[in-house]
Amino acid sequence: MQKKVIVIGGGFAGLSAAAYLTSKKYKVTLLEASPKLGGRAYSFLDKETNSIIDNGQHILMGCYYYTLEFLSLIGAKENFSIQKRLEVNFVKEGFRVFPLKGFPFIYPINLMVGLLKYDAIGLADRLSLLKVFFMLPFLSHYRFSNINIKEWLEKENQSQNVQDAFWGILAVGALNTSMQKASAKIFIDILKQIFLKGNKAATIVLPKYGLSESYCKNAEEYIGKNGGEIILSEPVEKIVISEDKVTEIHSSKKVFLDFDYVVSAIPAFALNRIIDDENRINIPDFKYSSILNIHLWLKENKIPEVFFGLINSPLHWVFNKGTHLNIVISDANELVNKSDEDKIKVVKDEMKKFFLLDSELITGYKIIKEKRATFIPSNDILDKRPSQRTQIKNLVLAGDWVDTGLPSTIESAVKSGKVAADLIISRS
Ligand SMILES: Cc1cc2nc3c(=O)[nH]c(=O)nc-3n(C[C@H](O)[C@H](O)[C@H](O)COP(=O)(O)OP(=O)(O)OC[C@H]3O[C@@H](n4cnc5c(N)ncnc54)[C@H](O)[C@@H]3O)c2cc1C
């Protein structure tokens, strides 16, 4: 008989679980609290400017294997552009641009040459950077579970210059927190994923359209076509557990009694609120990092490239969207609580310094704050991430925060959804 699964949450994790389950003919009902899918990764129409904008620019990478497979499954891979080879332009004050790119030689020589030619840092720094890359395959992450990234880099004699112009940008971009807070262990794992897995792994993958058009629409169609049902604006208010099973799911509108399995694909803090037996799951007390996205409309947009990483600036990335610029400020816990005037002043000052952009050219802006954008991957929290299998027999956990071995990213969310689906399939 067709097994019934309730998936709670319609972000990347819930959509991935639902898509894989419906592909194997499970009868899925997905309950989403908000009126839209996508969770922390969505786009919307900004009525003032009549443009589609993302809640935050999302960067995927060639090493997002689970995500790329999921996008293929739902027919959305075409909505993403994948670089042929790594190419990122970094910029210093005065609009001085320093490309970091993979060359068309055989891997890994192409990446090594790319690093050697990255002249945002001096030659001695580039050589010391390369030394770390040569050691990378031999580093066992267990040795680094007690130190943070900064401590690791100091041990490896990485100068302040190379930390500012390379490691810091990579760490804050990938982990959305400072090098002092993030675990060296998870960072080394990511470096291996990005730089030791072939040419494609290090490439940047970007949505071609707004995020919701790029994947939510396809996921919704795929799940619907395979017999799944998506119910929006219907938050789950209670998960009732009796003995070792979930027996009831209370949404804002009804009580669900008829199901075989439940996938929780909501953030840790949201699950804590609705589960009546949280001690059997041990949800850790995550600390979160904010991300600020500031969209700028200009009279005249002369900034040429698609995107830039900024060296030594409170602004981290600038994406040129044609109609406007999308400025990303990661690890923004401090700035997020300042007034909008203060935030815009920082943006105007930095855009002037880095891109020589006259603030008179700015015709409008929109600030989007995501206070709990990602959890902080500190050493004390990584070992506490719960496994997806729980003591409650018919409940499986998903979400970027469960123990996927990956930081709080789309890849972690999608992987967790796939693993949740596989666990259910293997049990039935
Ligand atoms: C601004 C920003 C930029 C980011 N940039 C990147 C990036 O460049 N690269 C990258 O890989 N990652 C990035 N991330 C992280 C990435 O967005 C997340 O890791 C990923 O989207 C998490 O997906 P999820 O499904 O686990 O959780 P969520 O996206 O949080 O989805 C959970 C869903 O559950 C719903 N929900 C909550 N409670 C209930 C309830 N009681 N009942 C029903 N539904 C409920 C929520 O409404 C939500 O839709 C960024 C995040 C932000 C905010």
Short mmCIF file of all heavy atoms in Angstrom, two decimals, residues 7-15 31-34 36-41 55-60 64 173 176 215 234-237 265-267 269-271 273-274 291-293 328 368-370 372-374 398-401 407-414 416, ligand 1:
data_model
loop_
_atom_site.label_atom_id
_atom_site.label_comp_id
_atom_site.label_asym_id
_atom_site.label_seq_id
_atom_site.Cartn_x
_atom_site.Cartn_y
_atom_site.Cartn_z
N VAL A 7 5.62 16.02 5.45
CA VAL A 7 6.87 16.78 5.50
C VAL A 7 6.53 18.16 6.06
O VAL A 7 5.63 18.84 5.55
CB VAL A 7 7.51 16.92 4.09
CG1 VAL A 7 8.74 17.82 4.14
CG2 VAL A 7 7.88 15.55 3.52
N ILE A 8 7.23 18.56 7.12
CA ILE A 8 6.96 19.87 7.72
C ILE A 8 8.06 20.83 7.30
O ILE A 8 9.23 20.62 7.63
CB ILE A 8 6.92 19.79 9.27
CG1 ILE A 8 6.01 18.64 9.73
CG2 ILE A 8 6.46 21.11 9.86
CD1 ILE A 8 6.10 18.37 11.24
N GLY A 9 7.70 21.88 6.55
CA GLY A 9 8.68 22.87 6.11
C GLY A 9 8.96 22.77 4.62
O GLY A 9 9.21 21.68 4.10
N GLY A 10 8.91 23.92 3.95
CA GLY A 10 9.09 23.95 2.50
C GLY A 10 10.29 24.75 2.06
O GLY A 10 10.25 25.46 1.06
N GLY A 11 11.40 24.63 2.81
CA GLY A 11 12.68 25.18 2.35
C GLY A 11 13.37 24.12 1.50
O GLY A 11 12.76 23.11 1.11
N PHE A 12 14.66 24.32 1.22
CA PHE A 12 15.40 23.35 0.40
C PHE A 12 15.30 21.94 0.99
O PHE A 12 15.14 20.96 0.26
CB PHE A 12 16.87 23.77 0.31
CG PHE A 12 17.20 24.54 -0.94
CD1 PHE A 12 17.50 25.90 -0.89
CD2 PHE A 12 17.24 23.90 -2.17
CE1 PHE A 12 17.82 26.61 -2.04
CE2 PHE A 12 17.56 24.59 -3.34
CZ PHE A 12 17.85 25.96 -3.27
N ALA A 13 15.38 21.82 2.34
CA ALA A 13 15.39 20.48 2.95
C ALA A 13 14.05 19.78 2.74
O ALA A 13 14.00 18.61 2.31
CB ALA A 13 15.71 20.60 4.44
N GLY A 14 12.96 20.49 3.03
CA GLY A 14 11.63 19.87 2.89
C GLY A 14 11.31 19.56 1.44
O GLY A 14 10.76 18.50 1.12
N LEU A 15 11.70 20.47 0.53
CA LEU A 15 11.41 20.24 -0.89
C LEU A 15 12.21 19.05 -1.42
O LEU A 15 11.72 18.26 -2.21
CB LEU A 15 11.71 21.50 -1.71
CG LEU A 15 10.76 22.68 -1.44
CD1 LEU A 15 11.25 23.94 -2.14
CD2 LEU A 15 9.33 22.35 -1.88
N LEU A 31 3.59 20.57 4.62
CA LEU A 31 2.94 21.69 5.32
C LEU A 31 3.94 22.82 5.51
O LEU A 31 5.00 22.61 6.12
CB LEU A 31 2.43 21.23 6.69
CG LEU A 31 1.32 20.17 6.67
CD1 LEU A 31 1.11 19.59 8.05
CD2 LEU A 31 0.03 20.76 6.13
N GLU A 32 3.63 23.98 5.00
CA GLU A 32 4.54 25.12 5.09
C GLU A 32 3.82 26.27 5.81
O GLU A 32 2.70 26.62 5.46
CB GLU A 32 5.01 25.54 3.69
CG GLU A 32 5.67 26.90 3.59
CD GLU A 32 6.87 27.12 4.52
OE1 GLU A 32 7.78 26.28 4.57
OE2 GLU A 32 6.88 28.18 5.21
N ALA A 33 4.52 26.85 6.79
CA ALA A 33 3.91 27.91 7.59
C ALA A 33 3.65 29.19 6.79
O ALA A 33 2.61 29.84 6.94
CB ALA A 33 4.82 28.24 8.77
N SER A 34 4.58 29.54 5.91
CA SER A 34 4.45 30.85 5.26
C SER A 34 3.67 30.70 3.94
O SER A 34 3.45 29.59 3.46
CB SER A 34 5.84 31.45 5.03
OG SER A 34 6.32 31.11 3.77
N LYS A 36 4.63 31.15 1.07
CA LYS A 36 5.49 30.84 -0.08
C LYS A 36 6.46 29.72 0.28
O LYS A 36 6.73 29.47 1.46
CB LYS A 36 6.26 32.09 -0.52
CG LYS A 36 6.93 32.80 0.66
CD LYS A 36 8.38 32.97 0.50
CE LYS A 36 9.11 33.42 1.73
NZ LYS A 36 9.51 32.39 2.67
N LEU A 37 7.00 29.09 -0.76
CA LEU A 37 8.03 28.07 -0.54
C LEU A 37 9.41 28.74 -0.52
O LEU A 37 9.55 29.89 -0.89
CB LEU A 37 7.97 27.03 -1.66
CG LEU A 37 6.72 26.15 -1.68
CD1 LEU A 37 6.68 25.32 -2.96
CD2 LEU A 37 6.65 25.23 -0.45
N GLY A 38 10.42 27.98 -0.11
CA GLY A 38 11.79 28.48 -0.24
C GLY A 38 12.51 28.74 1.07
O GLY A 38 13.72 28.83 1.10
N GLY A 39 11.74 28.93 2.16
CA GLY A 39 12.38 29.15 3.46
C GLY A 39 13.30 30.34 3.43
O GLY A 39 12.89 31.45 3.07
N ARG A 40 14.57 30.10 3.72
CA ARG A 40 15.55 31.20 3.78
C ARG A 40 16.11 31.56 2.40
O ARG A 40 17.01 32.40 2.30
CB ARG A 40 16.69 30.81 4.71
CG ARG A 40 16.44 31.14 6.14
CD ARG A 40 17.48 30.48 7.02
NE ARG A 40 17.17 29.10 7.29
CZ ARG A 40 18.04 28.20 7.74
NH1 ARG A 40 19.29 28.55 7.92
NH2 ARG A 40 17.66 26.96 7.98
N ALA A 41 15.63 30.91 1.35
CA ALA A 41 16.16 31.19 0.00
C ALA A 41 15.00 31.40 -0.96
O ALA A 41 14.49 30.44 -1.53
CB ALA A 41 17.05 30.02 -0.45
N ASN A 55 15.76 37.40 -1.33
CA ASN A 55 15.93 37.81 0.08
C ASN A 55 17.41 37.91 0.39
O ASN A 55 17.82 38.61 1.32
CB ASN A 55 15.24 36.82 1.03
CG ASN A 55 15.95 35.49 1.10
OD1 ASN A 55 16.32 34.92 0.08
ND2 ASN A 55 16.16 34.99 2.30
N GLY A 56 18.20 37.21 -0.40
CA GLY A 56 19.65 37.29 -0.25
C GLY A 56 20.29 36.53 -1.39
O GLY A 56 19.81 35.44 -1.74
N GLN A 57 21.33 37.13 -1.96
CA GLN A 57 22.04 36.43 -3.03
C GLN A 57 22.55 35.09 -2.50
O GLN A 57 23.14 35.04 -1.41
CB GLN A 57 23.22 37.28 -3.50
CG GLN A 57 24.10 36.60 -4.50
CD GLN A 57 23.42 36.44 -5.86
OE1 GLN A 57 22.84 37.38 -6.40
NE2 GLN A 57 23.50 35.23 -6.41
N HIS A 58 22.30 34.02 -3.21
CA HIS A 58 22.83 32.70 -2.81
C HIS A 58 23.87 32.24 -3.81
O HIS A 58 23.67 32.31 -5.01
CB HIS A 58 21.69 31.68 -2.71
CG HIS A 58 20.95 31.77 -1.40
ND1 HIS A 58 20.21 32.87 -1.05
CD2 HIS A 58 20.86 30.89 -0.36
CE1 HIS A 58 19.68 32.68 0.16
NE2 HIS A 58 20.07 31.49 0.60
N ILE A 59 25.00 31.78 -3.27
CA ILE A 59 26.09 31.27 -4.12
C ILE A 59 26.17 29.77 -3.90
O ILE A 59 26.30 29.31 -2.76
CB ILE A 59 27.45 31.91 -3.72
CG1 ILE A 59 27.34 33.43 -3.75
CG2 ILE A 59 28.57 31.42 -4.62
CD1 ILE A 59 28.54 34.14 -3.13
N LEU A 60 26.09 29.03 -4.99
CA LEU A 60 26.27 27.57 -4.91
C LEU A 60 27.63 27.26 -5.51
O LEU A 60 28.23 28.12 -6.16
CB LEU A 60 25.17 26.85 -5.70
CG LEU A 60 23.74 26.89 -5.16
CD1 LEU A 60 23.13 28.27 -5.25
CD2 LEU A 60 22.86 25.91 -5.92
N TYR A 64 28.52 21.23 -4.79
CA TYR A 64 27.19 21.01 -4.19
C TYR A 64 26.54 19.82 -4.94
O TYR A 64 25.57 20.00 -5.68
CB TYR A 64 26.33 22.26 -4.35
CG TYR A 64 26.52 23.34 -3.31
CD1 TYR A 64 27.74 23.53 -2.68
CD2 TYR A 64 25.48 24.20 -2.96
CE1 TYR A 64 27.91 24.54 -1.73
CE2 TYR A 64 25.64 25.19 -2.02
CZ TYR A 64 26.85 25.36 -1.41
OH TYR A 64 27.00 26.37 -0.47
N GLY A 173 32.67 33.80 3.63
CA GLY A 173 31.72 33.46 2.56
C GLY A 173 31.09 32.10 2.79
O GLY A 173 29.89 31.91 2.63
N ASN A 176 29.83 32.18 7.04
CA ASN A 176 29.09 33.34 7.54
C ASN A 176 29.42 33.67 9.00
O ASN A 176 28.54 34.03 9.78
CB ASN A 176 27.57 33.09 7.36
CG ASN A 176 26.75 34.31 7.70
OD1 ASN A 176 27.20 35.44 7.54
ND2 ASN A 176 25.54 34.09 8.21
N TYR A 215 14.04 27.66 -8.57
CA TYR A 215 13.88 26.27 -8.10
C TYR A 215 12.55 25.97 -7.40
O TYR A 215 12.07 24.85 -7.47
CB TYR A 215 15.05 25.85 -7.18
CG TYR A 215 14.94 26.38 -5.77
CD1 TYR A 215 14.45 25.58 -4.73
CD2 TYR A 215 15.32 27.67 -5.44
CE1 TYR A 215 14.34 26.06 -3.43
CE2 TYR A 215 15.21 28.15 -4.15
CZ TYR A 215 14.72 27.34 -3.15
OH TYR A 215 14.61 27.82 -1.87
N GLU A 234 0.04 27.10 6.43
CA GLU A 234 -0.55 26.21 7.44
C GLU A 234 0.56 25.69 8.37
O GLU A 234 1.09 24.59 8.19
CB GLU A 234 -1.30 25.06 6.76
CG GLU A 234 -2.17 24.31 7.75
CD GLU A 234 -3.23 23.42 7.10
OE1 GLU A 234 -3.71 23.75 6.00
OE2 GLU A 234 -3.56 22.39 7.71
N PRO A 235 0.94 26.50 9.37
CA PRO A 235 2.02 26.07 10.27
C PRO A 235 1.63 24.86 11.11
O PRO A 235 0.46 24.73 11.49
CB PRO A 235 2.23 27.29 11.17
CG PRO A 235 1.00 28.11 11.05
CD PRO A 235 0.43 27.84 9.70
N VAL A 236 2.58 24.02 11.36
CA VAL A 236 2.36 22.93 12.32
C VAL A 236 2.56 23.53 13.71
O VAL A 236 3.55 24.21 13.96
CB VAL A 236 3.33 21.77 12.06
CG1 VAL A 236 3.30 20.75 13.18
CG2 VAL A 236 2.99 21.11 10.73
N GLU A 237 1.61 23.28 14.59
CA GLU A 237 1.68 23.88 15.93
C GLU A 237 2.09 22.88 16.98
O GLU A 237 2.57 23.24 18.05
CB GLU A 237 0.33 24.52 16.27
CG GLU A 237 0.09 25.74 15.38
CD GLU A 237 -1.28 26.37 15.53
OE1 GLU A 237 -2.19 25.72 16.10
OE2 GLU A 237 -1.44 27.50 15.06
N ALA A 265 11.42 19.28 8.64
CA ALA A 265 12.43 20.00 7.85
C ALA A 265 12.37 21.49 8.17
O ALA A 265 12.38 22.35 7.29
CB ALA A 265 12.22 19.75 6.36
N ILE A 266 12.26 21.78 9.46
CA ILE A 266 12.19 23.18 9.91
C ILE A 266 13.42 23.48 10.76
O ILE A 266 14.10 22.56 11.23
CB ILE A 266 10.87 23.45 10.68
CG1 ILE A 266 10.76 22.56 11.94
CG2 ILE A 266 9.67 23.22 9.78
CD1 ILE A 266 9.49 22.75 12.73
N PRO A 267 13.72 24.76 10.98
CA PRO A 267 14.92 25.07 11.77
C PRO A 267 14.82 24.54 13.21
O PRO A 267 13.71 24.30 13.71
CB PRO A 267 14.95 26.60 11.76
CG PRO A 267 14.16 27.00 10.56
CD PRO A 267 13.09 25.97 10.42
N PHE A 269 15.19 25.95 16.12
CA PHE A 269 14.39 26.74 17.09
C PHE A 269 12.89 26.54 16.84
O PHE A 269 12.09 26.57 17.77
CB PHE A 269 14.78 28.22 17.04
CG PHE A 269 14.59 28.87 15.68
CD1 PHE A 269 13.37 29.36 15.29
CD2 PHE A 269 15.66 28.98 14.80
CE1 PHE A 269 13.20 29.95 14.04
CE2 PHE A 269 15.51 29.56 13.55
CZ PHE A 269 14.28 30.05 13.16
N ALA A 270 12.51 26.32 15.58
CA ALA A 270 11.09 26.13 15.26
C ALA A 270 10.62 24.76 15.73
O ALA A 270 9.50 24.61 16.25
CB ALA A 270 10.87 26.28 13.76
N LEU A 271 11.48 23.76 15.61
CA LEU A 271 11.12 22.41 16.08
C LEU A 271 10.98 22.40 17.60
O LEU A 271 10.05 21.78 18.14
CB LEU A 271 12.19 21.42 15.62
CG LEU A 271 11.97 19.96 16.01
CD1 LEU A 271 10.65 19.41 15.44
CD2 LEU A 271 13.12 19.06 15.55
N ARG A 273 9.86 24.57 19.45
CA ARG A 273 8.58 25.16 19.87
C ARG A 273 7.42 24.18 19.75
O ARG A 273 6.44 24.30 20.46
CB ARG A 273 8.25 26.35 18.97
CG ARG A 273 8.93 27.61 19.40
CD ARG A 273 8.30 28.78 18.62
NE ARG A 273 9.33 29.71 18.24
CZ ARG A 273 9.59 30.13 17.02
NH1 ARG A 273 8.87 29.71 16.00
NH2 ARG A 273 10.56 30.98 16.79
N ILE A 274 7.49 23.22 18.81
CA ILE A 274 6.29 22.43 18.52
C ILE A 274 6.38 20.97 18.92
O ILE A 274 5.39 20.26 18.88
CB ILE A 274 5.92 22.50 17.01
CG1 ILE A 274 7.05 21.94 16.14
CG2 ILE A 274 5.56 23.91 16.60
CD1 ILE A 274 6.63 21.72 14.70
N ILE A 291 22.81 37.87 8.02
CA ILE A 291 23.30 38.34 6.71
C ILE A 291 22.44 39.53 6.31
O ILE A 291 21.22 39.49 6.45
CB ILE A 291 23.21 37.24 5.63
CG1 ILE A 291 24.05 36.02 6.01
CG2 ILE A 291 23.66 37.79 4.27
CD1 ILE A 291 24.08 34.90 4.97
N LEU A 292 23.12 40.57 5.84
CA LEU A 292 22.40 41.74 5.32
C LEU A 292 22.55 41.76 3.81
O LEU A 292 23.66 41.59 3.29
CB LEU A 292 23.07 43.01 5.85
CG LEU A 292 22.58 43.60 7.15
CD1 LEU A 292 23.50 44.76 7.53
CD2 LEU A 292 21.15 44.10 7.02
N ASN A 293 21.45 41.94 3.12
CA ASN A 293 21.52 42.15 1.67
C ASN A 293 20.98 43.53 1.38
O ASN A 293 19.86 43.86 1.80
CB ASN A 293 20.69 41.10 0.93
CG ASN A 293 21.52 39.87 0.65
OD1 ASN A 293 22.14 39.76 -0.40
ND2 ASN A 293 21.57 38.96 1.62
N VAL A 328 26.21 42.10 -0.46
CA VAL A 328 26.06 41.10 0.59
C VAL A 328 27.01 41.42 1.75
O VAL A 328 28.21 41.59 1.53
CB VAL A 328 26.40 39.68 0.06
CG1 VAL A 328 26.22 38.63 1.14
CG2 VAL A 328 25.55 39.34 -1.16
N ILE A 368 17.53 44.12 3.31
CA ILE A 368 16.87 42.90 3.78
C ILE A 368 17.75 42.27 4.86
O ILE A 368 18.91 41.93 4.60
CB ILE A 368 16.60 41.91 2.64
CG1 ILE A 368 15.78 42.61 1.55
CG2 ILE A 368 15.86 40.67 3.15
CD1 ILE A 368 15.43 41.76 0.37
N LYS A 369 17.15 42.14 6.05
CA LYS A 369 17.91 41.58 7.18
C LYS A 369 17.47 40.15 7.42
O LYS A 369 16.28 39.89 7.53
CB LYS A 369 17.62 42.37 8.46
CG LYS A 369 17.97 43.82 8.39
CD LYS A 369 17.42 44.56 9.60
CE LYS A 369 16.55 45.71 9.11
NZ LYS A 369 15.83 46.43 10.07
N GLU A 370 18.41 39.26 7.49
CA GLU A 370 18.10 37.87 7.87
C GLU A 370 18.90 37.62 9.14
O GLU A 370 20.09 37.35 9.10
CB GLU A 370 18.51 36.90 6.76
CG GLU A 370 17.65 36.96 5.52
CD GLU A 370 16.31 36.23 5.66
OE1 GLU A 370 16.03 35.66 6.74
OE2 GLU A 370 15.54 36.25 4.68
N ARG A 372 18.65 35.26 11.56
CA ARG A 372 19.11 33.89 11.84
C ARG A 372 19.41 33.20 10.51
O ARG A 372 18.84 32.17 10.19
CB ARG A 372 18.06 33.13 12.63
CG ARG A 372 18.03 33.58 14.08
CD ARG A 372 17.22 32.65 14.93
NE ARG A 372 15.81 32.94 14.81
CZ ARG A 372 14.91 32.69 15.74
NH1 ARG A 372 15.27 32.13 16.88
NH2 ARG A 372 13.64 32.96 15.55
N ALA A 373 20.32 33.80 9.74
CA ALA A 373 20.60 33.27 8.40
C ALA A 373 21.23 31.88 8.48
O ALA A 373 20.80 30.96 7.78
CB ALA A 373 21.51 34.23 7.65
N THR A 374 22.24 31.73 9.33
CA THR A 374 22.93 30.43 9.42
C THR A 374 23.39 30.23 10.88
O THR A 374 23.60 31.21 11.60
CB THR A 374 24.20 30.41 8.53
OG1 THR A 374 25.07 31.44 8.94
CG2 THR A 374 23.87 30.59 7.06
N ALA A 398 15.32 16.66 9.23
CA ALA A 398 16.08 17.24 8.10
C ALA A 398 16.24 18.73 8.38
O ALA A 398 15.67 19.27 9.33
CB ALA A 398 15.33 17.00 6.79
N GLY A 399 17.01 19.39 7.55
CA GLY A 399 17.30 20.82 7.75
C GLY A 399 18.81 20.99 7.73
O GLY A 399 19.55 20.06 8.03
N ASP A 400 19.26 22.21 7.41
CA ASP A 400 20.70 22.43 7.26
C ASP A 400 21.46 22.23 8.58
O ASP A 400 22.68 22.14 8.58
CB ASP A 400 20.98 23.82 6.66
CG ASP A 400 20.48 24.96 7.55
OD1 ASP A 400 19.78 24.70 8.55
OD2 ASP A 400 20.80 26.13 7.24
N TRP A 401 20.75 22.16 9.70
CA TRP A 401 21.39 22.10 11.03
C TRP A 401 21.62 20.68 11.54
O TRP A 401 22.35 20.50 12.51
CB TRP A 401 20.52 22.87 12.03
CG TRP A 401 19.10 22.35 12.12
CD1 TRP A 401 18.07 22.63 11.27
CD2 TRP A 401 18.57 21.45 13.10
NE1 TRP A 401 16.94 21.97 11.65
CE2 TRP A 401 17.21 21.24 12.78
CE3 TRP A 401 19.09 20.81 14.22
CZ2 TRP A 401 16.37 20.43 13.52
CZ3 TRP A 401 18.26 19.99 14.97
CH2 TRP A 401 16.92 19.80 14.62
N PRO A 407 28.47 22.74 6.62
CA PRO A 407 28.00 23.95 7.32
C PRO A 407 26.55 24.27 6.93
O PRO A 407 25.94 23.57 6.12
CB PRO A 407 28.96 25.03 6.84
CG PRO A 407 29.57 24.52 5.59
CD PRO A 407 29.51 23.02 5.63
N SER A 408 26.04 25.36 7.49
CA SER A 408 24.64 25.75 7.30
C SER A 408 24.45 26.30 5.89
O SER A 408 24.50 27.51 5.66
CB SER A 408 24.37 26.82 8.35
OG SER A 408 23.06 27.24 8.38
N THR A 409 24.26 25.40 4.93
CA THR A 409 24.19 25.81 3.53
C THR A 409 23.05 25.09 2.82
O THR A 409 22.47 24.14 3.36
CB THR A 409 25.49 25.40 2.78
OG1 THR A 409 25.70 24.00 3.02
CG2 THR A 409 26.69 26.18 3.25
N ILE A 410 22.82 25.49 1.60
CA ILE A 410 21.84 24.83 0.75
C ILE A 410 22.22 23.35 0.61
O ILE A 410 21.37 22.46 0.67
CB ILE A 410 21.83 25.48 -0.65
CG1 ILE A 410 21.23 26.89 -0.56
CG2 ILE A 410 21.07 24.64 -1.65
CD1 ILE A 410 21.34 27.67 -1.85
N GLU A 411 23.51 23.09 0.41
CA GLU A 411 23.96 21.71 0.20
C GLU A 411 23.62 20.86 1.41
O GLU A 411 23.19 19.71 1.28
CB GLU A 411 25.46 21.70 -0.11
CG GLU A 411 26.08 20.33 -0.30
CD GLU A 411 25.65 19.60 -1.59
OE1 GLU A 411 24.74 20.06 -2.28
OE2 GLU A 411 26.25 18.55 -1.86
N SER A 412 23.81 21.41 2.61
CA SER A 412 23.49 20.66 3.82
C SER A 412 21.99 20.39 3.88
O SER A 412 21.55 19.28 4.20
CB SER A 412 23.94 21.47 5.05
OG SER A 412 23.58 20.80 6.23
N ALA A 413 21.18 21.40 3.55
CA ALA A 413 19.72 21.26 3.59
C ALA A 413 19.26 20.19 2.59
O ALA A 413 18.49 19.29 2.93
CB ALA A 413 19.06 22.60 3.28
N VAL A 414 19.77 20.28 1.36
CA VAL A 414 19.32 19.33 0.32
C VAL A 414 19.78 17.92 0.65
O VAL A 414 19.03 16.95 0.52
CB VAL A 414 19.84 19.77 -1.07
CG1 VAL A 414 19.53 18.71 -2.11
CG2 VAL A 414 19.23 21.10 -1.48
N SER A 416 20.29 16.72 3.60
CA SER A 416 19.48 16.20 4.71
C SER A 416 18.12 15.71 4.21
O SER A 416 17.59 14.71 4.69
CB SER A 416 19.29 17.29 5.78
OG SER A 416 18.35 18.25 5.36
C1 LIG B 1 20.47 35.88 3.25
C2 LIG B 1 20.98 34.48 3.20
C3 LIG B 1 22.02 34.16 2.32
C4 LIG B 1 22.48 32.86 2.25
N1 LIG B 1 23.47 32.56 1.36
C5 LIG B 1 23.79 31.28 1.14
C6 LIG B 1 24.70 30.95 0.10
O1 LIG B 1 25.21 31.82 -0.61
N2 LIG B 1 24.98 29.63 -0.12
C7 LIG B 1 24.40 28.64 0.62
O2 LIG B 1 24.66 27.47 0.36
N3 LIG B 1 23.57 28.94 1.66
C8 LIG B 1 23.24 30.22 1.93
N4 LIG B 1 22.36 30.53 2.92
C9 LIG B 1 21.86 29.45 3.79
C10 LIG B 1 20.69 28.71 3.12
O3 LIG B 1 19.71 29.64 2.72
C11 LIG B 1 20.08 27.75 4.14
O4 LIG B 1 21.09 26.90 4.63
C12 LIG B 1 19.00 26.88 3.53
O5 LIG B 1 18.10 27.62 2.76
C13 LIG B 1 18.26 26.17 4.68
O6 LIG B 1 17.20 25.38 4.18
P1 LIG B 1 16.28 24.56 5.19
O7 LIG B 1 15.25 23.92 4.36
O8 LIG B 1 17.12 23.73 6.07
O9 LIG B 1 15.61 25.63 6.16
P2 LIG B 1 14.68 26.88 5.82
O10 LIG B 1 15.05 27.47 4.52
O11 LIG B 1 14.71 27.75 7.02
O12 LIG B 1 13.23 26.24 5.65
C14 LIG B 1 12.42 25.89 6.73
C15 LIG B 1 10.96 26.12 6.33
O13 LIG B 1 10.15 25.66 7.41
C16 LIG B 1 9.07 26.55 7.57
N5 LIG B 1 8.57 26.40 8.93
C17 LIG B 1 9.12 26.81 10.11
N6 LIG B 1 8.33 26.46 11.13
C18 LIG B 1 7.29 25.78 10.60
C19 LIG B 1 6.14 25.14 11.16
N7 LIG B 1 5.93 25.13 12.48
N8 LIG B 1 5.24 24.54 10.33
C20 LIG B 1 5.44 24.54 8.99
N9 LIG B 1 6.51 25.13 8.40
C21 LIG B 1 7.41 25.74 9.21
C22 LIG B 1 9.69 27.93 7.30
O14 LIG B 1 8.68 28.86 6.96
C23 LIG B 1 10.61 27.58 6.12
O15 LIG B 1 9.96 27.73 4.88
C24 LIG B 1 21.92 31.84 3.07
C25 LIG B 1 20.89 32.17 3.95
C26 LIG B 1 20.42 33.46 4.02
C27 LIG B 1 19.29 33.79 4.95
#
